[in-house]
Amino acid sequence: MKPLLLIDVDGPLNPYAAQAQRRPEGYTTHRMRPTGWTEVKPLRVWLNPAHGEELRALSRLYDLVWATTWKGEANEWIGPHLGLPELPYIDWPQMHGKAPRGTFWKTQYILPYAAGRPFAWVDDDITGYDREMVEREHLAAALLVHVDPRIGLTRPDFDALADWAAAL
């Protein structure tokens, strides 16, 4: 059984914190209206098509899963722009809620989702508290990759993910 690769959208794939008027190199701009977006102006999302190629290559080593507040809508709004097939997603019981001991709210749900399976997780909100909780409570191997939301996933991130999975 392959490990899981849990993929956040905003930060790793959409470097939303980059300078507002300066799209990062290699990214294309998309305007989207996912459920819950109530602003008059559509949401600006920057995506890099090369990330789709990288993720498809990693799918030989991992089972890819959306771990994003976009939930299943990532299959409609994000995946097609990256050339990704429909992926399973974590259906968060509660989003942005209280989290144990300073951890990011997603961590408490990722552990039961992984259910003892090895996993790698890319997100811009991972902290040392999350690493401690995963190390303490998850008995299988885990790799937590913090991604700078101004930059998004980079070559070293993809290399680290591939190397980690190959070493399992």
Side-chain angles (χ1 to χ4, degrees):
M1 182 181 295
K2 295 188 280 189
L4 300 169
L5 176 52
L6 308 174
I7 309 161
D8 182 30
V9 169
D10 295 316
L13 297 178
N14 171 29
Y16 68 89
Q19 292 182 358
Q21 303 306 318
R22 300 188 71 177
R23 182 178 63 208
E25 187 175 332
Y27 286 80
T28 56
T29 301
H30 305 273
R31 299 291 178 181
M32 301 181 180
R33 288 194 178 279
T35 300
W37 185 255
T38 58
E39 303 296 319
V40 172
K41 189 175 181 180
L43 177 64
R44 182 210 72 214
V45 176
W46 286 327
L47 297 172
N48 186 335
H51 287 170
E53 295 170 31
E54 297 285 358
L55 291 169
R56 286 191 306 277
L58 286 173
S59 71
R60 292 189 312 260
L61 300 168
Y62 290 95
D63 288 332
L64 307 182
V65 177
W66 294 119
T68 173
T69 57
W70 291 74
K71 299 199 281 185
E73 284 191 273
N75 286 315
E76 176 183 348
W77 294 101
I78 306 300
H81 293 291
L82 299 177
L84 295 175
E86 186 165 321
L87 301 176
Y89 63 93
I90 299 176
D91 190 10
W92 313 109
Q94 180 179 350
M95 292 195 296
H96 310 290
K98 187 176 178 180
R101 298 180 41 155
T103 59
F104 180 39
W105 66 265
K106 288 182 183 178
T107 310
Q108 64 191 316
Y109 303 120
I110 282 176
L111 294 177
Y113 185 88
R117 221 171 136 179
F119 71 87
W121 174 25
V122 294
D123 203 298
D124 60 307
D125 284 309
I126 293 169
T127 69
Y129 292 114
D130 301 297
R131 293 178 197 288
E132 289 172 13
M133 182 176 180
V134 170
E135 188 174 314
R136 185 177 59 251
E137 297 184 19
H138 189 68
L139 299 178
L143 175 67
L144 280 63
V145 178
H146 177 267
V147 177
D148 185 330
R150 296 168 299 169
I151 298 170
L153 285 164
T154 62
R155 168 87 270 134
D157 297 322
F158 289 111
D159 290 343
L161 289 164
D163 292 346
W164 183 82
L168 285 180

